Structures are given as structure tokens and as C-alpha cells.
Short mmCIF file of all heavy atoms in Angstrom, two decimals:
data_model
loop_
_atom_site.label_atom_id
_atom_site.label_comp_id
_atom_site.label_asym_id
_atom_site.label_seq_id
_atom_site.Cartn_x
_atom_site.Cartn_y
_atom_site.Cartn_z
N ALA V 155 -122.93 -175.38 71.41
CA ALA V 155 -121.88 -174.65 70.72
C ALA V 155 -121.59 -173.33 71.44
O ALA V 155 -120.43 -172.94 71.60
CB ALA V 155 -122.31 -174.38 69.28
N LEU V 156 -122.66 -172.65 71.88
CA LEU V 156 -122.47 -171.40 72.61
C LEU V 156 -121.76 -171.64 73.95
O LEU V 156 -120.91 -170.85 74.36
CB LEU V 156 -123.83 -170.73 72.86
CG LEU V 156 -124.51 -170.13 71.63
CD1 LEU V 156 -125.92 -169.67 71.98
CD2 LEU V 156 -123.69 -168.95 71.08
N MET V 157 -122.13 -172.75 74.61
CA MET V 157 -121.51 -173.06 75.89
C MET V 157 -120.02 -173.37 75.71
O MET V 157 -119.20 -172.96 76.53
CB MET V 157 -122.21 -174.25 76.54
CG MET V 157 -123.61 -173.93 77.06
SD MET V 157 -124.42 -175.34 77.84
CE MET V 157 -123.33 -175.61 79.23
N ARG V 158 -119.68 -174.11 74.61
CA ARG V 158 -118.28 -174.41 74.37
C ARG V 158 -117.49 -173.14 74.04
O ARG V 158 -116.33 -173.01 74.41
CB ARG V 158 -118.16 -175.41 73.20
CG ARG V 158 -118.51 -176.84 73.58
CD ARG V 158 -118.06 -177.81 72.51
NE ARG V 158 -118.78 -177.60 71.26
CZ ARG V 158 -119.92 -178.20 70.92
NH1 ARG V 158 -120.47 -179.06 71.77
NH2 ARG V 158 -120.51 -177.96 69.77
N ARG V 159 -118.14 -172.19 73.40
CA ARG V 159 -117.44 -170.98 73.00
C ARG V 159 -117.35 -169.96 74.12
O ARG V 159 -116.31 -169.32 74.32
CB ARG V 159 -118.15 -170.36 71.79
CG ARG V 159 -117.52 -169.03 71.34
CD ARG V 159 -118.17 -168.48 70.11
NE ARG V 159 -117.96 -169.35 68.94
CZ ARG V 159 -118.38 -169.06 67.71
NH1 ARG V 159 -119.04 -167.93 67.50
NH2 ARG V 159 -118.16 -169.89 66.71
N TYR V 160 -118.46 -169.78 74.87
CA TYR V 160 -118.52 -168.70 75.87
C TYR V 160 -118.66 -169.19 77.31
O TYR V 160 -118.75 -168.38 78.23
CB TYR V 160 -119.69 -167.76 75.56
CG TYR V 160 -119.60 -167.14 74.19
CD1 TYR V 160 -120.51 -167.48 73.18
CD2 TYR V 160 -118.61 -166.19 73.90
CE1 TYR V 160 -120.43 -166.91 71.92
CE2 TYR V 160 -118.53 -165.61 72.65
CZ TYR V 160 -119.44 -165.98 71.65
OH TYR V 160 -119.35 -165.40 70.41
N GLY V 161 -118.71 -170.50 77.50
CA GLY V 161 -118.91 -171.03 78.86
C GLY V 161 -117.83 -170.61 79.83
O GLY V 161 -118.08 -170.40 81.02
N TRP V 162 -116.58 -170.44 79.34
CA TRP V 162 -115.48 -170.04 80.22
C TRP V 162 -115.71 -168.68 80.85
O TRP V 162 -115.22 -168.39 81.94
CB TRP V 162 -114.17 -170.04 79.42
CG TRP V 162 -114.13 -168.99 78.33
CD1 TRP V 162 -114.55 -169.12 77.05
CD2 TRP V 162 -113.65 -167.65 78.46
NE1 TRP V 162 -114.37 -167.96 76.35
CE2 TRP V 162 -113.81 -167.03 77.19
CE3 TRP V 162 -113.09 -166.92 79.50
CZ2 TRP V 162 -113.43 -165.71 76.96
CZ3 TRP V 162 -112.71 -165.60 79.27
CH2 TRP V 162 -112.88 -165.01 78.02
N ILE V 163 -116.51 -167.84 80.14
CA ILE V 163 -116.79 -166.51 80.69
C ILE V 163 -117.64 -166.64 81.95
O ILE V 163 -117.39 -165.98 82.97
CB ILE V 163 -117.51 -165.63 79.65
CG1 ILE V 163 -116.60 -165.40 78.43
CG2 ILE V 163 -117.93 -164.31 80.27
CD1 ILE V 163 -117.24 -164.60 77.33
N ALA V 164 -118.63 -167.52 81.89
CA ALA V 164 -119.49 -167.73 83.06
C ALA V 164 -118.70 -168.32 84.22
O ALA V 164 -118.86 -167.90 85.38
CB ALA V 164 -120.65 -168.65 82.69
N VAL V 165 -117.83 -169.28 83.90
CA VAL V 165 -117.00 -169.88 84.94
C VAL V 165 -116.08 -168.84 85.57
O VAL V 165 -115.92 -168.76 86.79
CB VAL V 165 -116.16 -171.05 84.37
CG1 VAL V 165 -115.18 -171.57 85.41
CG2 VAL V 165 -117.08 -172.17 83.89
N LEU V 166 -115.47 -168.00 84.72
CA LEU V 166 -114.59 -166.97 85.22
C LEU V 166 -115.34 -165.97 86.09
O LEU V 166 -114.83 -165.52 87.13
CB LEU V 166 -113.94 -166.24 84.03
CG LEU V 166 -112.99 -165.08 84.39
CD1 LEU V 166 -111.82 -165.59 85.23
CD2 LEU V 166 -112.48 -164.40 83.12
N ALA V 167 -116.56 -165.63 85.68
CA ALA V 167 -117.37 -164.69 86.46
C ALA V 167 -117.66 -165.25 87.86
O ALA V 167 -117.57 -164.53 88.87
CB ALA V 167 -118.67 -164.38 85.74
N VAL V 168 -117.98 -166.55 87.91
CA VAL V 168 -118.25 -167.18 89.20
C VAL V 168 -117.01 -167.16 90.08
O VAL V 168 -117.05 -166.85 91.27
CB VAL V 168 -118.75 -168.63 89.00
CG1 VAL V 168 -118.82 -169.36 90.35
CG2 VAL V 168 -120.11 -168.64 88.34
N ILE V 169 -115.85 -167.50 89.47
CA ILE V 169 -114.60 -167.50 90.22
C ILE V 169 -114.28 -166.11 90.77
O ILE V 169 -113.86 -165.95 91.92
CB ILE V 169 -113.44 -168.00 89.33
CG1 ILE V 169 -113.64 -169.49 89.01
CG2 ILE V 169 -112.09 -167.79 90.01
CD1 ILE V 169 -112.64 -170.03 88.02
N LEU V 170 -114.48 -165.08 89.93
CA LEU V 170 -114.20 -163.72 90.36
C LEU V 170 -115.11 -163.28 91.50
O LEU V 170 -114.68 -162.62 92.45
CB LEU V 170 -114.34 -162.76 89.17
CG LEU V 170 -113.25 -162.86 88.10
CD1 LEU V 170 -113.58 -161.95 86.94
CD2 LEU V 170 -111.88 -162.51 88.68
N ILE V 171 -116.38 -163.65 91.40
CA ILE V 171 -117.34 -163.27 92.44
C ILE V 171 -116.99 -163.94 93.77
O ILE V 171 -116.92 -163.29 94.82
CB ILE V 171 -118.78 -163.63 92.02
CG1 ILE V 171 -119.22 -162.75 90.84
CG2 ILE V 171 -119.74 -163.49 93.19
CD1 ILE V 171 -120.54 -163.15 90.23
N VAL V 172 -116.75 -165.25 93.72
CA VAL V 172 -116.42 -165.99 94.94
C VAL V 172 -115.09 -165.51 95.51
O VAL V 172 -114.94 -165.27 96.71
CB VAL V 172 -116.36 -167.50 94.65
CG1 VAL V 172 -115.86 -168.26 95.87
CG2 VAL V 172 -117.74 -168.01 94.25
N GLY V 173 -114.10 -165.36 94.62
CA GLY V 173 -112.78 -164.90 95.08
C GLY V 173 -112.83 -163.49 95.65
O GLY V 173 -112.20 -163.20 96.66
N GLY V 174 -113.60 -162.61 95.01
CA GLY V 174 -113.72 -161.24 95.50
C GLY V 174 -114.38 -161.18 96.86
O GLY V 174 -113.95 -160.41 97.73
N THR V 175 -115.40 -162.00 97.06
CA THR V 175 -116.08 -162.04 98.36
C THR V 175 -115.14 -162.53 99.44
O THR V 175 -115.08 -161.97 100.54
CB THR V 175 -117.32 -162.95 98.28
OG1 THR V 175 -118.21 -162.45 97.28
CG2 THR V 175 -118.03 -162.99 99.62
N ALA V 176 -114.40 -163.60 99.13
CA ALA V 176 -113.46 -164.15 100.10
C ALA V 176 -112.37 -163.13 100.46
O ALA V 176 -112.00 -162.97 101.62
CB ALA V 176 -112.82 -165.42 99.56
N TRP V 177 -111.86 -162.43 99.45
CA TRP V 177 -110.82 -161.43 99.68
C TRP V 177 -111.35 -160.29 100.54
O TRP V 177 -110.66 -159.81 101.44
CB TRP V 177 -110.31 -160.88 98.35
CG TRP V 177 -109.51 -159.62 98.48
CD1 TRP V 177 -109.91 -158.35 98.23
CD2 TRP V 177 -108.16 -159.52 98.94
NE1 TRP V 177 -108.91 -157.46 98.49
CE2 TRP V 177 -107.81 -158.14 98.93
CE3 TRP V 177 -107.21 -160.43 99.36
CZ2 TRP V 177 -106.57 -157.68 99.32
CZ3 TRP V 177 -105.95 -159.97 99.75
CH2 TRP V 177 -105.65 -158.62 99.72
N ASN V 178 -112.57 -159.86 100.27
CA ASN V 178 -113.17 -158.77 101.03
C ASN V 178 -113.34 -159.14 102.50
O ASN V 178 -113.04 -158.34 103.40
CB ASN V 178 -114.53 -158.39 100.42
CG ASN V 178 -115.09 -157.12 101.01
OD1 ASN V 178 -114.39 -156.13 101.16
ND2 ASN V 178 -116.36 -157.14 101.36
N GLU V 179 -113.80 -160.38 102.75
CA GLU V 179 -113.98 -160.84 104.13
C GLU V 179 -112.64 -160.96 104.83
O GLU V 179 -112.50 -160.63 106.01
CB GLU V 179 -114.72 -162.19 104.15
CG GLU V 179 -116.18 -162.10 103.73
CD GLU V 179 -116.97 -161.16 104.61
OE1 GLU V 179 -116.79 -161.20 105.85
OE2 GLU V 179 -117.77 -160.36 104.07
N TRP V 180 -111.63 -161.45 104.10
CA TRP V 180 -110.29 -161.59 104.69
C TRP V 180 -109.73 -160.22 105.05
O TRP V 180 -109.13 -160.04 106.11
CB TRP V 180 -109.37 -162.30 103.71
CG TRP V 180 -107.96 -162.42 104.19
CD1 TRP V 180 -107.44 -163.40 105.01
CD2 TRP V 180 -106.86 -161.54 103.90
NE1 TRP V 180 -106.12 -163.18 105.26
CE2 TRP V 180 -105.72 -162.04 104.59
CE3 TRP V 180 -106.73 -160.39 103.14
CZ2 TRP V 180 -104.48 -161.42 104.52
CZ3 TRP V 180 -105.48 -159.77 103.07
CH2 TRP V 180 -104.38 -160.29 103.75
N ARG V 181 -109.91 -159.25 104.16
CA ARG V 181 -109.41 -157.91 104.41
C ARG V 181 -110.10 -157.29 105.62
O ARG V 181 -109.45 -156.62 106.44
CB ARG V 181 -109.61 -157.03 103.17
CG ARG V 181 -108.96 -155.65 103.29
CD ARG V 181 -109.22 -154.84 102.05
NE ARG V 181 -110.65 -154.63 101.86
CZ ARG V 181 -111.16 -154.00 100.80
NH1 ARG V 181 -110.37 -153.57 99.84
NH2 ARG V 181 -112.47 -153.82 100.69
N LYS V 182 -111.40 -157.48 105.73
CA LYS V 182 -112.13 -156.95 106.88
C LYS V 182 -111.61 -157.57 108.18
O LYS V 182 -111.45 -156.89 109.19
CB LYS V 182 -113.63 -157.23 106.74
CG LYS V 182 -114.33 -156.37 105.71
CD LYS V 182 -115.81 -156.71 105.65
CE LYS V 182 -116.54 -155.85 104.62
NZ LYS V 182 -117.99 -156.21 104.54
N ALA V 183 -111.38 -158.89 108.14
CA ALA V 183 -110.87 -159.58 109.33
C ALA V 183 -109.48 -159.07 109.70
O ALA V 183 -109.17 -158.88 110.88
CB ALA V 183 -110.82 -161.09 109.08
N GLN V 184 -108.65 -158.82 108.69
CA GLN V 184 -107.30 -158.30 108.95
C GLN V 184 -107.36 -156.90 109.56
O GLN V 184 -106.64 -156.59 110.50
CB GLN V 184 -106.50 -158.27 107.64
CG GLN V 184 -106.10 -159.63 107.11
CD GLN V 184 -105.09 -160.32 108.00
OE1 GLN V 184 -105.43 -161.22 108.76
NE2 GLN V 184 -103.85 -159.89 107.92
N ASP V 185 -108.22 -156.06 109.00
CA ASP V 185 -108.37 -154.69 109.52
C ASP V 185 -108.87 -154.70 110.95
O ASP V 185 -108.41 -153.93 111.80
CB ASP V 185 -109.32 -153.88 108.64
CG ASP V 185 -108.74 -153.59 107.26
OD1 ASP V 185 -107.51 -153.73 107.10
OD2 ASP V 185 -109.50 -153.23 106.35
N ARG V 186 -109.84 -155.59 111.21
CA ARG V 186 -110.39 -155.69 112.56
C ARG V 186 -109.33 -156.16 113.55
O ARG V 186 -109.20 -155.62 114.65
CB ARG V 186 -111.59 -156.63 112.56
CG ARG V 186 -112.30 -156.73 113.89
CD ARG V 186 -113.68 -157.37 113.73
NE ARG V 186 -113.60 -158.66 113.07
CZ ARG V 186 -114.04 -158.91 111.83
NH1 ARG V 186 -114.58 -157.94 111.12
NH2 ARG V 186 -113.95 -160.12 111.31
N ALA V 187 -108.56 -157.18 113.16
CA ALA V 187 -107.51 -157.70 114.04
C ALA V 187 -106.44 -156.64 114.29
O ALA V 187 -105.93 -156.51 115.41
CB ALA V 187 -106.89 -158.95 113.42
N GLN V 188 -106.12 -155.88 113.24
CA GLN V 188 -105.11 -154.83 113.37
C GLN V 188 -105.58 -153.74 114.33
O GLN V 188 -104.82 -153.26 115.18
CB GLN V 188 -104.81 -154.24 112.00
CG GLN V 188 -103.61 -153.31 111.95
CD GLN V 188 -103.33 -152.82 110.54
OE1 GLN V 188 -104.21 -152.29 109.86
NE2 GLN V 188 -102.10 -153.00 110.08
N ALA V 189 -106.85 -153.35 114.19
CA ALA V 189 -107.40 -152.32 115.08
C ALA V 189 -107.43 -152.81 116.52
O ALA V 189 -107.13 -152.05 117.46
CB ALA V 189 -108.81 -151.94 114.61
N GLU V 190 -107.80 -154.07 116.73
CA GLU V 190 -107.86 -154.62 118.08
C GLU V 190 -106.47 -154.70 118.70
O GLU V 190 -106.28 -154.41 119.89
CB GLU V 190 -108.53 -155.99 118.06
CG GLU V 190 -110.02 -155.94 117.75
CD GLU V 190 -110.63 -157.32 117.59
OE1 GLU V 190 -109.85 -158.31 117.61
OE2 GLU V 190 -111.86 -157.41 117.46
N ALA V 191 -105.46 -155.10 117.90
CA ALA V 191 -104.10 -155.18 118.41
C ALA V 191 -103.58 -153.79 118.78
O ALA V 191 -102.92 -153.61 119.81
CB ALA V 191 -103.18 -155.82 117.37
N PHE V 192 -103.90 -152.80 117.95
CA PHE V 192 -103.50 -151.42 118.23
C PHE V 192 -104.18 -150.93 119.50
O PHE V 192 -103.56 -150.28 120.35
CB PHE V 192 -103.86 -150.54 117.04
CG PHE V 192 -103.54 -149.09 117.22
CD1 PHE V 192 -102.23 -148.66 117.38
CD2 PHE V 192 -104.55 -148.13 117.22
CE1 PHE V 192 -101.93 -147.31 117.53
CE2 PHE V 192 -104.26 -146.79 117.38
CZ PHE V 192 -102.95 -146.38 117.53
N GLY V 193 -105.46 -151.24 119.63
CA GLY V 193 -106.20 -150.83 120.83
C GLY V 193 -105.64 -151.48 122.09
O GLY V 193 -105.51 -150.82 123.13
N ASP V 194 -105.27 -152.77 122.00
CA ASP V 194 -104.69 -153.45 123.16
C ASP V 194 -103.35 -152.81 123.54
O ASP V 194 -103.03 -152.68 124.73
CB ASP V 194 -104.48 -154.93 122.85
CG ASP V 194 -105.79 -155.70 122.78
OD1 ASP V 194 -106.80 -155.19 123.29
OD2 ASP V 194 -105.79 -156.81 122.21
N ALA V 195 -102.56 -152.41 122.54
CA ALA V 195 -101.27 -151.77 122.82
C ALA V 195 -101.48 -150.44 123.54
O ALA V 195 -100.74 -150.11 124.48
CB ALA V 195 -100.50 -151.56 121.53
N ILE V 196 -102.49 -149.68 123.12
CA ILE V 196 -102.77 -148.40 123.77
C ILE V 196 -103.24 -148.62 125.21
O ILE V 196 -102.79 -147.94 126.14
CB ILE V 196 -103.82 -147.61 122.98
CG1 ILE V 196 -103.24 -147.11 121.65
CG2 ILE V 196 -104.32 -146.42 123.79
CD1 ILE V 196 -104.22 -146.36 120.80
N LEU V 197 -104.14 -149.59 125.39
CA LEU V 197 -104.63 -149.87 126.74
C LEU V 197 -103.49 -150.29 127.65
O LEU V 197 -103.44 -149.90 128.82
CB LEU V 197 -105.70 -150.97 126.68
CG LEU V 197 -107.04 -150.57 126.06
CD1 LEU V 197 -107.95 -151.78 125.94
CD2 LEU V 197 -107.73 -149.48 126.88
N GLY V 198 -102.57 -151.08 127.11
CA GLY V 198 -101.42 -151.48 127.91
C GLY V 198 -100.56 -150.29 128.29
O GLY V 198 -100.07 -150.19 129.42
#
């Protein structure tokens, strides 16, 4: 009964954790790529 009532909270928490981690890694990759592209432009 508790799982039927509150189980969605646990599922949502897992989704948020996984999604947040993925977003953080994507943002880091984007920042790194942006910095490298800027650096290449300066070197050129």
C-alpha cells in the first residue's frame, strides 16, 4: 500500500538523479568544447 501511494516519489528521485548527472556531464563537455574552439581560434 505504501509503495502504491509513495512509490512514484522514489521513481522520480531516481529519474532526477540520473537526469541531473547526465545534464552536468553534457554541460561540462559543452564548456570544454567551447573553450577548446576558442583556444584554437586564438592560436590561429
Side-chain angles (χ1 to χ4, degrees):
L156 289 172
M157 289 181 64
R158 283 194 295 270
R159 177 177 295 183
Y160 301 111
W162 66 271
I163 297 178
V165 173
L166 179 60
V168 171
I169 292 174
L170 289 175
I171 292 172
V172 173
T175 301
W177 166 259
N178 190 46
E179 291 301 317
W180 177 84
R181 186 181 62 184
K182 286 181 180 179
Q184 289 292 103
D185 291 344
R186 184 165 55 250
Q188 190 177 52
E190 290 174 353
F192 178 64
D194 289 342
I196 290 179
L197 289 174

